[in-house]
Short mmCIF file of all heavy atoms in Angstrom, two decimals:
data_model
loop_
_atom_site.label_atom_id
_atom_site.label_comp_id
_atom_site.label_asym_id
_atom_site.label_seq_id
_atom_site.Cartn_x
_atom_site.Cartn_y
_atom_site.Cartn_z
N THR U 445 85.57 54.01 93.55
CA THR U 445 85.84 55.44 93.69
C THR U 445 86.73 55.72 94.89
O THR U 445 87.49 56.70 94.90
CB THR U 445 84.52 56.22 93.81
OG1 THR U 445 83.71 55.95 92.68
CG2 THR U 445 84.77 57.71 93.90
N ARG U 449 89.84 58.36 95.22
CA ARG U 449 89.91 59.39 96.25
C ARG U 449 91.24 59.34 96.99
O ARG U 449 91.92 60.37 97.18
CB ARG U 449 88.75 59.23 97.24
CG ARG U 449 88.83 60.14 98.45
CD ARG U 449 87.78 59.80 99.49
NE ARG U 449 87.95 60.61 100.69
CZ ARG U 449 88.84 60.31 101.66
NH1 ARG U 449 89.61 59.23 101.55
NH2 ARG U 449 88.95 61.11 102.71
N VAL U 452 94.06 60.51 94.63
CA VAL U 452 93.98 61.95 94.34
C VAL U 452 94.51 62.75 95.53
O VAL U 452 95.33 63.67 95.37
CB VAL U 452 92.54 62.37 94.00
CG1 VAL U 452 92.39 63.89 94.08
CG2 VAL U 452 92.16 61.89 92.61
N LEU U 453 94.06 62.43 96.72
CA LEU U 453 94.51 63.17 97.90
C LEU U 453 96.00 62.94 98.15
O LEU U 453 96.71 63.84 98.61
CB LEU U 453 93.69 62.74 99.13
CG LEU U 453 92.18 63.02 99.04
CD1 LEU U 453 91.50 62.63 100.34
CD2 LEU U 453 91.92 64.48 98.71
N LEU U 456 98.02 65.22 95.96
CA LEU U 456 97.99 66.62 96.39
C LEU U 456 98.73 66.84 97.71
O LEU U 456 98.81 67.97 98.20
CB LEU U 456 96.54 67.09 96.54
CG LEU U 456 95.72 67.11 95.25
CD1 LEU U 456 94.27 67.43 95.55
CD2 LEU U 456 96.29 68.12 94.25
N ALA U 482 95.94 64.48 89.39
CA ALA U 482 94.68 64.49 90.15
C ALA U 482 93.55 65.08 89.31
O ALA U 482 92.41 64.59 89.34
CB ALA U 482 94.86 65.29 91.44
N LEU U 486 90.07 63.08 88.07
CA LEU U 486 88.71 63.56 88.33
C LEU U 486 87.90 63.63 87.05
O LEU U 486 86.72 63.24 87.02
CB LEU U 486 88.77 64.93 89.00
CG LEU U 486 89.24 64.93 90.46
CD1 LEU U 486 89.51 66.36 90.93
CD2 LEU U 486 88.20 64.28 91.35
N LEU U 489 86.91 60.17 86.05
CA LEU U 489 85.78 59.67 86.84
C LEU U 489 84.45 60.11 86.23
O LEU U 489 83.52 59.33 86.09
CB LEU U 489 85.87 60.19 88.28
CG LEU U 489 86.56 59.34 89.34
CD1 LEU U 489 86.44 60.01 90.70
CD2 LEU U 489 85.99 57.95 89.39
N THR U 490 84.38 61.39 85.89
CA THR U 490 83.15 61.90 85.29
C THR U 490 82.88 61.23 83.94
O THR U 490 81.75 60.83 83.64
CB THR U 490 83.25 63.43 85.11
OG1 THR U 490 83.39 64.04 86.39
CG2 THR U 490 82.02 63.99 84.42
N SER U 495 80.17 60.55 87.96
CA SER U 495 80.28 61.98 88.23
C SER U 495 79.91 62.34 89.66
O SER U 495 80.45 63.28 90.24
CB SER U 495 79.42 62.78 87.25
OG SER U 495 78.07 62.32 87.28
N ALA U 496 78.97 61.61 90.27
CA ALA U 496 78.61 61.90 91.66
C ALA U 496 79.81 61.71 92.57
O ALA U 496 80.07 62.50 93.47
CB ALA U 496 77.45 61.00 92.09
N GLY U 497 80.55 60.62 92.33
CA GLY U 497 81.78 60.41 93.11
C GLY U 497 82.82 61.47 92.82
O GLY U 497 83.54 61.92 93.72
N ALA U 498 82.89 61.91 91.56
CA ALA U 498 83.85 62.95 91.18
C ALA U 498 83.55 64.26 91.91
O ALA U 498 84.46 65.00 92.29
CB ALA U 498 83.83 63.18 89.67
N VAL U 499 82.26 64.56 92.11
CA VAL U 499 81.88 65.78 92.85
C VAL U 499 82.47 65.74 94.25
O VAL U 499 83.08 66.71 94.71
CB VAL U 499 80.34 65.92 92.91
CG1 VAL U 499 79.96 67.04 93.88
CG2 VAL U 499 79.78 66.22 91.53
N GLU U 500 82.29 64.63 94.95
CA GLU U 500 82.75 64.53 96.33
C GLU U 500 84.27 64.57 96.41
O GLU U 500 84.85 65.24 97.27
CB GLU U 500 82.21 63.24 96.95
CG GLU U 500 80.70 63.19 97.07
CD GLU U 500 80.16 64.36 97.86
OE1 GLU U 500 80.78 64.74 98.88
OE2 GLU U 500 79.12 64.92 97.46
N VAL U 501 84.94 63.84 95.52
CA VAL U 501 86.41 63.81 95.54
C VAL U 501 86.96 65.19 95.19
O VAL U 501 87.94 65.66 95.79
CB VAL U 501 86.95 62.74 94.58
CG1 VAL U 501 88.47 62.76 94.57
CG2 VAL U 501 86.46 61.35 95.00
N ALA U 502 86.34 65.87 94.22
CA ALA U 502 86.80 67.21 93.82
C ALA U 502 86.67 68.20 94.98
O ALA U 502 87.53 69.05 95.18
CB ALA U 502 86.01 67.70 92.61
N ARG U 503 85.59 68.09 95.75
CA ARG U 503 85.43 68.96 96.91
C ARG U 503 86.60 68.80 97.88
O ARG U 503 87.19 69.77 98.35
CB ARG U 503 84.12 68.66 97.62
CG ARG U 503 82.87 69.13 96.92
CD ARG U 503 81.65 68.85 97.80
NE ARG U 503 80.40 69.22 97.17
CZ ARG U 503 79.22 69.14 97.77
NH1 ARG U 503 79.14 68.68 99.02
NH2 ARG U 503 78.11 69.50 97.15
N GLU U 504 86.90 67.53 98.19
CA GLU U 504 88.01 67.28 99.12
C GLU U 504 89.32 67.77 98.54
O GLU U 504 90.15 68.34 99.26
CB GLU U 504 88.09 65.79 99.42
CG GLU U 504 87.03 65.27 100.37
CD GLU U 504 87.39 63.89 100.89
OE1 GLU U 504 88.31 63.79 101.73
OE2 GLU U 504 86.75 62.92 100.45
N ALA U 505 89.53 67.55 97.25
CA ALA U 505 90.77 67.97 96.61
C ALA U 505 90.93 69.48 96.68
O ALA U 505 92.02 70.01 96.96
CB ALA U 505 90.79 67.49 95.16
N LEU U 506 89.86 70.22 96.40
CA LEU U 506 89.92 71.68 96.47
C LEU U 506 90.25 72.16 97.87
O LEU U 506 91.04 73.11 98.05
CB LEU U 506 88.57 72.27 96.03
CG LEU U 506 88.29 72.25 94.52
CD1 LEU U 506 86.82 72.52 94.24
CD2 LEU U 506 89.17 73.27 93.81
N GLN U 507 89.69 71.52 98.86
CA GLN U 507 89.95 71.94 100.24
C GLN U 507 91.38 71.60 100.66
O GLN U 507 92.03 72.38 101.36
CB GLN U 507 88.93 71.29 101.18
CG GLN U 507 87.53 71.89 101.00
CD GLN U 507 86.46 71.13 101.76
OE1 GLN U 507 86.50 69.92 101.87
NE2 GLN U 507 85.47 71.85 102.27
N VAL U 508 91.88 70.44 100.23
CA VAL U 508 93.27 70.07 100.55
C VAL U 508 94.24 71.06 99.92
O VAL U 508 95.17 71.55 100.58
CB VAL U 508 93.56 68.64 100.04
CG1 VAL U 508 95.06 68.36 100.06
CG2 VAL U 508 92.83 67.62 100.91
N LEU U 509 94.04 71.37 98.64
CA LEU U 509 94.95 72.32 97.99
C LEU U 509 94.82 73.71 98.60
O LEU U 509 95.81 74.43 98.74
CB LEU U 509 94.67 72.36 96.49
CG LEU U 509 95.70 73.15 95.66
CD1 LEU U 509 97.08 72.53 95.78
CD2 LEU U 509 95.29 73.21 94.20
N GLY U 510 93.60 74.09 98.99
CA GLY U 510 93.40 75.40 99.61
C GLY U 510 94.18 75.53 100.91
O GLY U 510 94.75 76.58 101.20
N ARG U 511 94.24 74.44 101.69
CA ARG U 511 94.95 74.50 102.97
C ARG U 511 96.46 74.60 102.79
O ARG U 511 97.15 75.13 103.65
CB ARG U 511 94.61 73.26 103.80
CG ARG U 511 93.20 73.28 104.39
CD ARG U 511 93.04 72.23 105.47
NE ARG U 511 93.17 70.86 104.95
CZ ARG U 511 92.15 70.14 104.49
NH1 ARG U 511 90.94 70.66 104.48
NH2 ARG U 511 92.35 68.91 104.05
N ALA U 527 94.87 74.40 90.59
CA ALA U 527 93.68 74.72 91.38
C ALA U 527 92.51 75.05 90.46
O ALA U 527 91.37 74.62 90.69
CB ALA U 527 93.97 75.89 92.32
N GLY U 529 92.14 73.95 87.45
CA GLY U 529 91.75 72.68 86.84
C GLY U 529 90.86 71.86 87.75
O GLY U 529 89.88 71.24 87.30
N LEU U 530 91.17 71.84 89.05
CA LEU U 530 90.33 71.12 90.01
C LEU U 530 88.93 71.74 90.06
O LEU U 530 87.92 71.03 90.11
CB LEU U 530 90.97 71.16 91.40
CG LEU U 530 92.24 70.32 91.61
CD1 LEU U 530 92.78 70.56 93.02
CD2 LEU U 530 91.94 68.84 91.41
N ALA U 531 88.89 73.07 90.07
CA ALA U 531 87.59 73.76 90.11
C ALA U 531 86.77 73.45 88.85
O ALA U 531 85.55 73.21 88.93
CB ALA U 531 87.80 75.26 90.25
N GLU U 532 87.42 73.44 87.70
CA GLU U 532 86.71 73.14 86.46
C GLU U 532 86.23 71.69 86.45
O GLU U 532 85.12 71.40 85.97
CB GLU U 532 87.63 73.41 85.26
CG GLU U 532 87.91 74.89 85.04
CD GLU U 532 88.97 75.13 83.98
OE1 GLU U 532 89.63 74.14 83.55
OE2 GLU U 532 89.15 76.30 83.56
N ALA U 533 87.06 70.78 86.99
CA ALA U 533 86.65 69.37 87.07
C ALA U 533 85.45 69.21 87.99
O ALA U 533 84.54 68.40 87.72
CB ALA U 533 87.82 68.51 87.56
N HIS U 534 85.41 69.99 89.07
CA HIS U 534 84.27 69.95 89.99
C HIS U 534 83.00 70.44 89.30
O HIS U 534 81.93 69.83 89.41
CB HIS U 534 84.57 70.80 91.23
CG HIS U 534 83.42 70.89 92.19
ND1 HIS U 534 82.60 72.00 92.26
CD2 HIS U 534 82.93 69.99 93.09
CE1 HIS U 534 81.68 71.80 93.18
NE2 HIS U 534 81.84 70.59 93.69
N LEU U 535 83.11 71.54 88.57
CA LEU U 535 81.94 72.08 87.87
C LEU U 535 81.45 71.10 86.80
O LEU U 535 80.24 70.88 86.65
CB LEU U 535 82.29 73.43 87.25
CG LEU U 535 81.18 74.13 86.45
CD1 LEU U 535 79.93 74.32 87.30
CD2 LEU U 535 81.68 75.47 85.91
N GLU U 536 82.38 70.49 86.06
CA GLU U 536 82.00 69.51 85.04
C GLU U 536 81.23 68.35 85.68
O GLU U 536 80.20 67.90 85.15
CB GLU U 536 83.25 68.97 84.33
CG GLU U 536 83.93 69.97 83.42
CD GLU U 536 85.28 69.46 82.93
OE1 GLU U 536 85.57 68.25 83.14
OE2 GLU U 536 86.04 70.25 82.35
N ALA U 537 81.76 67.88 86.81
CA ALA U 537 81.10 66.76 87.50
C ALA U 537 79.71 67.16 87.98
O ALA U 537 78.76 66.38 87.89
CB ALA U 537 81.97 66.29 88.66
N CYS U 538 79.58 68.38 88.51
CA CYS U 538 78.27 68.85 88.98
C CYS U 538 77.27 68.95 87.84
O CYS U 538 76.09 68.59 87.99
CB CYS U 538 78.42 70.21 89.66
SG CYS U 538 79.17 70.16 91.30
N ARG U 539 77.71 69.41 86.69
CA ARG U 539 76.80 69.55 85.55
C ARG U 539 76.29 68.19 85.07
O ARG U 539 75.18 68.07 84.55
CB ARG U 539 77.50 70.28 84.41
CG ARG U 539 77.63 71.78 84.65
CD ARG U 539 78.48 72.44 83.59
NE ARG U 539 78.43 73.90 83.72
CZ ARG U 539 79.30 74.73 83.15
NH1 ARG U 539 80.30 74.23 82.41
NH2 ARG U 539 79.19 76.03 83.31
N ALA U 541 76.37 65.24 87.18
CA ALA U 541 75.74 64.49 88.28
C ALA U 541 74.44 65.12 88.77
O ALA U 541 73.58 64.44 89.31
CB ALA U 541 76.72 64.35 89.43
N ARG U 542 74.33 66.45 88.64
CA ARG U 542 73.17 67.19 89.14
C ARG U 542 72.92 66.88 90.62
O ARG U 542 71.88 66.34 91.00
CB ARG U 542 71.92 66.85 88.34
CG ARG U 542 71.99 67.27 86.90
CD ARG U 542 72.01 68.78 86.76
NE ARG U 542 72.17 69.20 85.38
CZ ARG U 542 71.93 70.42 84.94
NH1 ARG U 542 71.51 71.35 85.81
NH2 ARG U 542 72.12 70.74 83.69
N PRO U 543 73.90 67.21 91.50
CA PRO U 543 73.72 66.93 92.92
C PRO U 543 72.62 67.82 93.50
O PRO U 543 72.15 68.77 92.85
CB PRO U 543 75.08 67.30 93.51
CG PRO U 543 75.64 68.32 92.58
CD PRO U 543 75.16 67.90 91.21
N ASP U 544 72.23 67.54 94.75
CA ASP U 544 71.18 68.32 95.41
C ASP U 544 71.53 69.80 95.35
O ASP U 544 72.58 70.22 95.84
CB ASP U 544 71.05 67.88 96.86
CG ASP U 544 69.98 68.67 97.59
OD1 ASP U 544 68.80 68.33 97.48
OD2 ASP U 544 70.36 69.66 98.26
N PRO U 545 70.66 70.64 94.75
CA PRO U 545 71.01 72.05 94.54
C PRO U 545 71.17 72.85 95.83
O PRO U 545 72.06 73.70 95.91
CB PRO U 545 69.86 72.59 93.69
CG PRO U 545 68.73 71.65 93.93
CD PRO U 545 69.34 70.31 94.16
N VAL U 546 70.37 72.60 96.82
CA VAL U 546 70.46 73.34 98.07
C VAL U 546 71.75 72.97 98.80
O VAL U 546 72.48 73.85 99.29
CB VAL U 546 69.23 73.08 98.96
CG1 VAL U 546 69.42 73.71 100.34
CG2 VAL U 546 67.97 73.65 98.28
N GLU U 547 72.03 71.67 98.89
CA GLU U 547 73.25 71.24 99.57
C GLU U 547 74.48 71.74 98.82
O GLU U 547 75.47 72.15 99.42
CB GLU U 547 73.26 69.71 99.65
CG GLU U 547 74.37 69.13 100.52
CD GLU U 547 75.69 69.00 99.80
OE1 GLU U 547 75.69 68.89 98.55
OE2 GLU U 547 76.75 69.02 100.47
N THR U 548 74.41 71.74 97.48
CA THR U 548 75.53 72.25 96.68
C THR U 548 75.73 73.74 96.94
O THR U 548 76.87 74.22 97.07
CB THR U 548 75.27 72.01 95.18
OG1 THR U 548 75.11 70.61 94.95
CG2 THR U 548 76.42 72.53 94.34
N ALA U 549 74.65 74.51 97.02
CA ALA U 549 74.75 75.94 97.31
C ALA U 549 75.39 76.16 98.67
O ALA U 549 76.25 77.04 98.83
CB ALA U 549 73.36 76.58 97.26
N GLU U 550 75.02 75.37 99.65
CA GLU U 550 75.58 75.51 100.99
C GLU U 550 77.07 75.21 100.99
O GLU U 550 77.86 75.92 101.62
CB GLU U 550 74.84 74.59 101.96
CG GLU U 550 73.40 75.03 102.21
CD GLU U 550 72.60 74.02 103.01
OE1 GLU U 550 73.08 72.87 103.19
OE2 GLU U 550 71.47 74.35 103.44
N TRP U 551 77.46 74.17 100.24
CA TRP U 551 78.90 73.86 100.17
C TRP U 551 79.67 74.98 99.47
O TRP U 551 80.74 75.40 99.93
CB TRP U 551 79.12 72.54 99.43
CG TRP U 551 80.59 72.18 99.41
CD1 TRP U 551 81.29 71.50 100.36
CD2 TRP U 551 81.54 72.54 98.40
NE1 TRP U 551 82.61 71.40 100.01
CE2 TRP U 551 82.80 72.04 98.81
CE3 TRP U 551 81.46 73.24 97.20
CZ2 TRP U 551 83.96 72.20 98.07
CZ3 TRP U 551 82.63 73.42 96.45
CH2 TRP U 551 83.85 72.90 96.88
N LEU U 552 79.13 75.46 98.36
CA LEU U 552 79.82 76.51 97.60
C LEU U 552 80.02 77.77 98.44
O LEU U 552 81.12 78.34 98.47
CB LEU U 552 79.02 76.85 96.34
CG LEU U 552 79.20 75.91 95.15
CD1 LEU U 552 78.14 76.21 94.09
CD2 LEU U 552 80.60 76.04 94.56
N VAL U 553 78.98 78.24 99.10
CA VAL U 553 79.09 79.46 99.90
C VAL U 553 80.07 79.24 101.05
O VAL U 553 80.91 80.10 101.34
CB VAL U 553 77.72 79.90 100.42
CG1 VAL U 553 77.86 81.08 101.39
CG2 VAL U 553 76.82 80.29 99.25
N ARG U 554 79.97 78.07 101.68
CA ARG U 554 80.90 77.77 102.77
C ARG U 554 82.34 77.76 102.26
O ARG U 554 83.25 78.29 102.90
CB ARG U 554 80.51 76.42 103.38
CG ARG U 554 81.28 76.07 104.65
CD ARG U 554 80.61 74.92 105.39
NE ARG U 554 80.50 73.71 104.57
CZ ARG U 554 79.36 73.22 104.10
NH1 ARG U 554 78.22 73.83 104.34
NH2 ARG U 554 79.36 72.12 103.37
N TYR U 555 82.55 77.16 101.10
CA TYR U 555 83.89 77.10 100.50
C TYR U 555 84.39 78.50 100.15
O TYR U 555 85.54 78.86 100.43
CB TYR U 555 83.86 76.23 99.24
CG TYR U 555 85.15 76.21 98.48
CD1 TYR U 555 86.19 75.35 98.84
CD2 TYR U 555 85.36 77.05 97.39
CE1 TYR U 555 87.39 75.34 98.14
CE2 TYR U 555 86.55 77.05 96.68
CZ TYR U 555 87.56 76.19 97.06
OH TYR U 555 88.75 76.19 96.38
N LEU U 556 83.55 79.31 99.54
CA LEU U 556 83.97 80.63 99.10
C LEU U 556 84.22 81.60 100.26
O LEU U 556 84.97 82.57 100.12
CB LEU U 556 82.93 81.23 98.15
CG LEU U 556 82.81 80.51 96.80
CD1 LEU U 556 81.59 81.01 96.03
CD2 LEU U 556 84.08 80.71 95.98
N ASP U 558 85.55 80.58 103.12
CA ASP U 558 86.71 80.08 103.85
C ASP U 558 87.95 80.84 103.38
O ASP U 558 88.31 80.79 102.20
CB ASP U 558 86.87 78.59 103.61
CG ASP U 558 87.94 77.96 104.51
OD1 ASP U 558 88.81 78.70 105.02
OD2 ASP U 558 87.90 76.74 104.71
N ASN U 561 90.61 79.19 101.14
CA ASN U 561 90.29 78.72 99.79
C ASN U 561 90.37 79.85 98.77
O ASN U 561 89.39 80.19 98.11
CB ASN U 561 88.90 78.08 99.78
CG ASN U 561 88.86 76.81 100.60
OD1 ASN U 561 89.84 76.08 100.65
ND2 ASN U 561 87.74 76.55 101.25
N THR U 564 91.58 79.33 93.98
CA THR U 564 90.79 79.28 92.75
C THR U 564 89.96 80.54 92.59
O THR U 564 89.78 81.31 93.52
CB THR U 564 89.83 78.07 92.77
OG1 THR U 564 88.91 78.25 93.86
CG2 THR U 564 90.58 76.78 92.96
N ILE U 566 86.68 80.42 91.69
CA ILE U 566 85.33 79.89 91.53
C ILE U 566 84.31 81.02 91.62
O ILE U 566 84.36 81.83 92.54
CB ILE U 566 85.03 78.82 92.60
CG1 ILE U 566 85.82 77.54 92.30
CG2 ILE U 566 83.55 78.51 92.66
CD1 ILE U 566 85.60 76.44 93.31
N TYR U 571 77.69 78.27 88.50
CA TYR U 571 76.90 77.11 88.89
C TYR U 571 75.39 77.37 88.76
O TYR U 571 74.59 76.61 89.29
CB TYR U 571 77.22 76.71 90.34
CG TYR U 571 78.59 76.10 90.51
CD1 TYR U 571 79.73 76.89 90.51
CD2 TYR U 571 78.74 74.73 90.67
CE1 TYR U 571 80.99 76.34 90.68
CE2 TYR U 571 79.98 74.16 90.84
CZ TYR U 571 81.10 74.96 90.83
OH TYR U 571 82.36 74.40 90.99
N VAL U 574 73.49 74.45 87.56
CA VAL U 574 73.49 73.34 88.53
C VAL U 574 72.56 73.64 89.70
O VAL U 574 71.81 72.77 90.18
CB VAL U 574 74.92 73.09 89.04
CG1 VAL U 574 74.92 72.05 90.16
CG2 VAL U 574 75.83 72.66 87.90
N LEU U 575 72.57 74.89 90.17
CA LEU U 575 71.80 75.26 91.36
C LEU U 575 70.31 75.43 91.09
O LEU U 575 69.47 75.11 91.94
CB LEU U 575 72.37 76.55 91.96
CG LEU U 575 73.83 76.47 92.45
CD1 LEU U 575 74.28 77.85 92.92
CD2 LEU U 575 73.98 75.45 93.56
#
Side-chain angles (χ1 to χ4, degrees):
T445 303
R449 173 188 175 278
V452 165
L453 298 183
L456 296 174
L486 288 169
L489 267 184
T490 298
S495 55
V499 170
E500 296 303 320
V501 177
R503 287 184 182 184
E504 285 195 72
L506 284 166
Q507 289 171 324
V508 166
L509 189 61
R511 287 195 296 270
L530 289 176
E532 290 172 349
H534 176 258
L535 179 56
E536 289 170 11
C538 286
R539 285 173 172 163
R542 296 293 176 164
D544 179 83
V546 172
E547 189 277 334
T548 300
E550 291 172 349
W551 182 86
L552 279 168
V553 173
R554 188 165 59 250
Y555 175 84
L556 293 170
D558 189 339
N561 294 326
T564 63
I566 288 179
Y571 289 76
V574 174
L575 297 176

